[in-house]
Amino acid sequence: MATYEAVIGLEVHVQLRTARKMFCRDLARFGDAPNTNVCPVCLGLPGALPVVNGDAVNLALRAAIALNCTIHEVSLFSRKNYFYPDLPKGYQISQFDRPLATGGHLDVPADDGGRPVRVRIRRLHLEEDAGKSLHDRLAGATAVDLNRAGVPLAEIVSEPDLRSPAQARAYLQLLKQLLEYAEVSDCNMEEGSLRVDANVSIREPAESELGVKTEVKNMNSFSGVEHALAFEIERQSAILDAGGTVVHETMLWDAGRQQARPMRSKEESHDYRYFPDPDLPPLVVSREQIEAVRIALPELPYARRERLRERYGLPALDAGVLTASRWVADYYEALVRLVPDAKAASNWVMGPVLQSVNDRKLALRDCEDFPVSAAALAELIGLVSDGTVSHSVGRDVFQKMLDTRRSASDIVTAGGLSQVRDSGQLAEWVEAVLAENPREVERYRAGEAKLLAHFMGQVMRKSRGKADPHQVTELLRERLA
Ligand code: ADP
Ligand code: MG
């Protein structure tokens, strides 16, 4: 197969984290009983009039600022007309030819650690979501839930500046991180708060014209996007290799089969009969409003990473890992206020905390959710640093804390886990181990110094991890000299 260059552009829909919908006062809450958050406006009943939700505008402004966009003081809402059961009005209100913001960029770290790739943001606009067709609620029938109809979205459209599925994924991760930090969206992918349409074409490496693209619609996982793009690149390559031409079409990703399937031939924007919504005046945002949003913007990932490095003297690696997600950074900063050794705190978060998040699929969406609060972990770190428990016992205690939500000192007291520093008891264990290993003792004395670790291990096992390792080392050295 010839190697082509892949060209990728992404359209990302994020649900803005407002309490209410885009054009009416219904709750925009996920998970309520079907069709309970609806009213004449989002049901599209005759005579009902939409009113813009100012919170949604402010959140979209935040995103536009975070993405370095030019914000337009006047933008327009249009009607995008199409028929679908989950779209009761028969049109979606969206911004079309005059979006809220254009011309931004996001710098994505390169695959190979080289210079970041600048991905230009073509536009960011406001729109409302459609309802949801549910195919698994009623046997043999499709049900419609309109709670989502009218929920505010920002659509963020990139220029075709990405060149590989891995790069597309890196862009999405960075975008999600930015939106979480800016508190624009909860970006909860399982709940569909962030959905991606991925556009991809291929071309000969030296070619400057773009090839014909296909678009894979509506994916809510980054690995799905990556796989779908790889699948499409391979499929398109096979077509060109066989002398064929790629058809401009819209596809659906079937994660079960790991296949993209054609959904429809590509619609053009004129198919949607866009026209300005006569019920909505132009959206006007003042320079003052934009500046107020800019000033109130929460600290963004890059700034936070640099601050963590400087303020707590952390290595770049630590600062990067700790700020990858806003919630981890919040957790770390809550912890480090209570723990004098910032690097020790970082080791605990980067190690046991993040490991348990991965292994147990625990949510660390906010510090409260996590079974071991920052204060509870700080107590445990204190017990390790003052020598009450050894580091390895500390790790076990942490696991118990995760399981039981009990405090570290409770678990240590109840389990009799305090480190043993009584020299009589330690000497007893050391003697027993040396008596059990006469041959190793001889070898050690003949010069095999590395056997010390072996004796250490034995003593630690005998003490069930409770012996104070420093004292044991000294005792062993003395007895073996
Ligand atoms: P459409 O009208 O089909 O929606 P647009 O030009 O509006 O296409 O672009 C939609 C998305 O597709 C953008 O993210 C853009 O970067 C990307 N895109 C456009 N042309 C191509 C192409 N030839 N190959 C890959 N991506 C493309
Ligand atoms: Mg499109």
Side-chain angles (χ1 to χ4, degrees), residues 17 33 187 202 287 307 386:
R17 47 182 279 289
C187 293
I202 57 170
R287 281 293 128 197
R307 186 170 60 76
D386 73 10

Side-chain angles (χ1 to χ4, degrees), residues 13-15 153 185-195:
H13 295 87
V14 281
Q15 183 178 332
L153 301 177
S185 171
D186 65 18
C187 293
N188 187 330
M189 312 261 319
E190 291 81 43
E191 295 180 0
S193 300
L194 193 161
R195 310 193 294 270

Side-chain angles (χ1 to χ4, degrees), residues 258-278:
Q258 294 280 298
Q259 266 181 14
R261 280 186 285 112
M263 178 165 91
R264 56 176 185 240
S265 68
K266 176 63 195 175
E267 70 295 334
E268 302 294 336
S269 71
H270 60 250
D271 294 330
Y272 288 120
R273 302 286 188 273
Y274 278 102
F275 64 90
D277 193 313

Side-chain angles (χ1 to χ4, degrees), residues 275-341:
F275 64 90
D277 193 313
D279 291 341
L280 285 160
L283 176 65
V284 178
V285 292
S286 65
R287 281 293 128 197
E288 293 73 45
Q289 185 181 355
I290 297 168
E291 279 320 300
V293 172
R294 190 191 304 281
I295 287 162
L297 201 66
E299 188 179 30
L300 297 181
Y302 179 77
R304 191 154 192 193
R305 191 171 69 219
E306 292 310 299
R307 186 170 60 76
L308 255 56
R309 268 172 64 162
E310 276 170 28
R311 177 135 163 213
Y312 305 112
L314 293 177
L317 174 77
D318 293 47
V321 173
L322 295 173
T323 54
S325 130
R326 160 123 203 238
W327 318 110
V328 175
D330 287 349
Y331 186 88
Y332 175 73
E333 289 215 87
L335 181 65
V336 80
R337 273 193 275 280
L338 306 167
V339 173
D341 182 346

Side-chain angles (χ1 to χ4, degrees), residues 416-430:
L417 301 174
S418 294
Q419 191 151 262
V420 175
R421 279 179 278 182
D422 169 62
S423 50
Q425 175 64 71
L426 293 176
E428 211 172 283
W429 284 325
V430 166

